[in-house]
Amino acid sequence: MIILQFPLARIGLFFILGLLLYQKGFQPNGFVVFIFLFVGLVGLVTMHRYANKRNAFKSFGWLVALLSVVLGLSTAAFDQDTRSRLHYSHLTEDQVPYHFQLTLHEKLKSTKKNQRYVAIIKSINHRKSLGKILLNIRHSSQNTNIPIGSHLAVDGLLYHNKAPFNPNQFDYSGYLENQQIYAQIYTLWPKLKIITTENTIWSKFSNFRTKIIDNLKKSNFNETELAVMIALLLGQQQDIDPETLQEYQLAGAVHILSVSGLHVGFIMLFINFLLKPIPNTSRNTYIKLLIIVLALWSYGILAGLAPSVVRSVTMFSFVAVGQHLRRSVNVYHSLLVSVLLILLWKPSFLFDVGFQLSYLALFFILWLQPLIADFWQPKNKITRYIWDILTVSLAAQLGTLPLSIYYFHQFPGLFFVTNVLVLPLLGIIMVVGLVAVIIGCFGTVPKFVIVPLTMMIAIQNKCIGWVASWDALVFKNIGFTAAMLWTSYLVIIALGLWLQKPIYKKVVLAMVSVLLLQIVCLHNKWQSTNTQEMIVYHQKKSTMITERKNNKVILFGNDSIQNTIAKNQILQSYLTANFAKLTQRENLQNLYYFNTKKILLIDSSATVPLNIKPDIVILVNSPKINLERYLSAYTPKQIVADGSNYKSYIRLWKATCHKAKIPFHITNEKGFYKI
């Protein structure tokens, strides 16, 4: 592969290895890392004098690799806000009220109950503090958009992030912690006061974006089409209704709703078009370059600087520099430089799904698309155009397929139809949309712009909706492990290398990679057919228990659980992750036998069978039971209380179990219970 011939590629790989090691728990003391880095740099400079000798050159290479790993570790360590003693995670307790002074940094999509913002802590109870946090403001008649950059005084409850309460669920706390958000504040409008508003570049751009959106809303756009246009051009998906968003996901077109390389490329072409009348003198070339780079980064800030936006703007900035300096720009080199610069600035982006998907898609388009396109060279212009769209779509989809299935457990079978239908129209929408946004900077948009733009977006939405309606061709609930993810990429890369140059060694590599993937799949199948477990889930106001023997699952639950199995994400996530299938449904029982253990379930009827000494007691639906008397008579080994119980009852049971020295498991504190 050409990309591996760059020394920067190997440096980048070892640097990323350092970030991964830190993420996985290898977190040496910052001072120790700094010493290693300093000594290594001194050794590197010293050794460089002798690098002309072969052995010294090899040692030099290994030292560079080691330093790259250390640089990755140090970058990750120094990026962590929690290393400071003033970070709020060291100064606060869970579910305790505090008085906060904070600054709004970013507006997020609202939930049914709350308006949500990312905020920067300034002080807690008038004591200096720092760190990013989520601010949740309960909806009320006082609802209003608070300007970004506002300094607020807030009284509210602080909740630290918690791991998922049920098995194989999306780890939202891990997602937040990758963004260095470790807690959330919940408050009401009367407990919030705006003190002042600061004027930073970030706040000015954010509030300017809000002004543009307000002007667009005043221009009589249809709500659905306007929400799509704002997502396409300004990277804000907050106002898209869930149904439209789901249709884009099922059709494999959700990427066009996030500002990425496609959108930034259009912006760059548009700016180049506007600057074309300016003569290409030596001085004007630098002025043009400055205008383009400033415009790209201004657009990036306006779009919210999401990881995919940062990647795209950085990439196209390098392309612009190369073009205007009359130098041939190697796209792989630009790709590598942009990765390193972004990760040096924000190492947490490495663990962002959008960042991973956008870079993989771009890399595979650059590498794999020409190989696929060489299979057929159509002479007709229209056929060639459609063939180019198909090959680009196929290369991008192959590159992101394993990662998409790993994160989302689904695959849109008609992705190529979506791209053929949408991409030609998207170019026109982007051009007209840019005109609308530019006019929206100053006031309302005239009808002669609104009407065609609304019509085109409506056609695009209908095409997306039609593709998404083919439900049988959207493959859902696909089980996929981390081992399958890595071996799948090994297969794709090995086959690509073989396609590039079909020699014996590459054929062997391809066959070995396929064999390795088969071994991983067989191991997963063996594991799924040799597991027995019983799980008590955490669900508010209801009880759900599953018994799994091999890959067959029996569900125990009341009628509300039984009637909503298809929509029950907790159950579906468990089945998908464990390659299991639901074979039986049963109502809740008072007595279970599982792996030589007797399990007694006591519900609101408080029925306690006599002469049965259980190993585990499960309390559900707030039974009125004298637990102290029961424990003294039967002394079970474990008590479990799920989310269907009153919190006041749980507090009493917890105290009783503590007094009797019997383990007490509460699902709304410790999560699911597995036997």
Side-chain angles (χ1 to χ4, degrees), residues 302-353:
L302 195 65
L305 283 185
S308 58
V309 180
V310 175
R311 188 269 302 169
S312 306
V313 171
T314 305
M315 270 286 299
F316 279 99
S317 296
F318 280 112
V319 171
V321 170
Q323 284 179 346
H324 285 77
L325 295 180
R326 309 292 185 190
R327 293 176 184 175
S328 59
V329 180
N330 186 293
V331 285
Y332 289 116
H333 202 270
S334 298
L335 194 72
L336 286 166
V337 173
S338 67
V339 169
L340 282 173
L341 285 177
I342 291 168
L343 293 181
L344 279 167
W345 169 62
K346 199 73 175 173
S348 60
F349 274 5
L350 179 64
F351 308 103
D352 185 275
V353 181

Side-chain angles (χ1 to χ4, degrees), residues 572-584:
Q572 294 302 330
S573 296
Y574 175 74
L575 295 174
T576 300
N578 293 283
F579 303 90
K581 56 184 177 181
L582 186 65
T583 57
Q584 201 173 333

Side-chain angles (χ1 to χ4, degrees), residues 201-391:
I201 292 176
W202 178 261
S203 63
K204 284 180 179 178
F205 271 98
S206 296
N207 294 324
F208 184 55
R209 179 176 63 231
T210 303
K211 178 187 173 184
I212 294 169
I213 292 171
D214 288 341
N215 286 338
L216 292 172
K217 286 178 178 177
K218 292 174 187 174
S219 303
N220 297 319
F221 273 100
N222 290 338
E223 236 177 83
T224 304
E225 284 75 21
L226 177 61
V228 171
M229 191 192 85
I230 290 169
L232 280 172
L233 289 159
L234 298 175
Q236 305 301 301
Q237 297 183 17
Q238 291 95 327
D239 296 326
I240 298 181
D241 64 85
E243 288 182 10
T244 303
L245 190 60
Q246 187 179 32
E247 285 180 350
Y248 273 81
Q249 288 170 344
L250 295 176
V254 73
H255 60 280
I256 69 174
L257 295 178
S258 302
V259 174
S260 59
L262 182 69
H263 307 75
V264 177
F266 272 117
I267 299 294
M268 186 171 165
L269 288 172
F270 187 72
I271 298 165
N272 275 323
F273 172 75
L274 294 177
L275 297 176
K276 203 170 184 179
I278 300 174
N280 287 323
T281 63
S282 178
R283 183 185 174 189
N284 287 350
T285 298
Y286 286 100
I287 293 172
K288 280 185 177 183
L289 175 60
L290 184 63
I291 291 170
I292 289 169
V293 172
L294 285 175
L296 289 177
W297 281 101
S298 298
Y299 176 70
I301 298 170
L302 195 65
L305 283 185
S308 58
V309 180
V310 175
R311 188 269 302 169
S312 306
V313 171
T314 305
M315 270 286 299
F316 279 99
S317 296
F318 280 112
V319 171
V321 170
Q323 284 179 346
H324 285 77
L325 295 180
R326 309 292 185 190
R327 293 176 184 175
S328 59
V329 180
N330 186 293
V331 285
Y332 289 116
H333 202 270
S334 298
L335 194 72
L336 286 166
V337 173
S338 67
V339 169
L340 282 173
L341 285 177
I342 291 168
L343 293 181
L344 279 167
W345 169 62
K346 199 73 175 173
S348 60
F349 274 5
L350 179 64
F351 308 103
D352 185 275
V353 181
F355 182 85
Q356 295 169 8
L357 288 172
S358 61
Y359 263 107
L360 279 171
L362 182 57
F363 169 72
F364 277 92
I365 288 170
L366 294 173
W367 176 54
L368 211 54
Q369 190 271 340
L371 301 179
I372 300 170
D374 283 345
F375 277 105
W376 183 40
Q377 297 289 340
K379 295 179 180 178
N380 184 277
K381 286 185 178 180
I382 297 173
T383 311
R384 193 186 311 129
Y385 177 71
I386 295 171
W387 175 241
D388 286 341
I389 291 175
L390 287 174
T391 54

Side-chain angles (χ1 to χ4, degrees), residues 15 19 22-23 72 75-77 79-80 132 174-182 307 342-356:
F15 174 75
L19 297 180
Y22 191 88
Q23 173 73 7
T75 303
D79 185 60
Q80 291 296 313
K132 288 168 70 176
Y175 167 76
L176 289 178
E177 285 175 15
N178 280 336
Q179 301 179 56
Q180 300 206 48
I181 298 172
Y182 299 91
I342 291 168
L343 293 181
L344 279 167
W345 169 62
K346 199 73 175 173
S348 60
F349 274 5
L350 179 64
F351 308 103
D352 185 275
V353 181
F355 182 85
Q356 295 169 8

Side-chain angles (χ1 to χ4, degrees), residues 33-71:
V33 173
F34 177 77
I35 293 296
F36 268 103
L37 197 61
F38 178 75
V39 172
L41 285 171
V42 171
L44 198 67
V45 172
T46 305
M47 193 179 288
H48 186 265
R49 297 182 62 185
Y50 307 99
N52 57 332
K53 297 179 181 179
R54 189 172 179 181
N55 291 333
F57 188 78
K58 285 182 180 178
S59 302
F60 182 81
W62 281 111
L63 184 58
V64 169
L66 181 61
L67 273 177
S68 300
V69 173
V70 175
L71 182 62

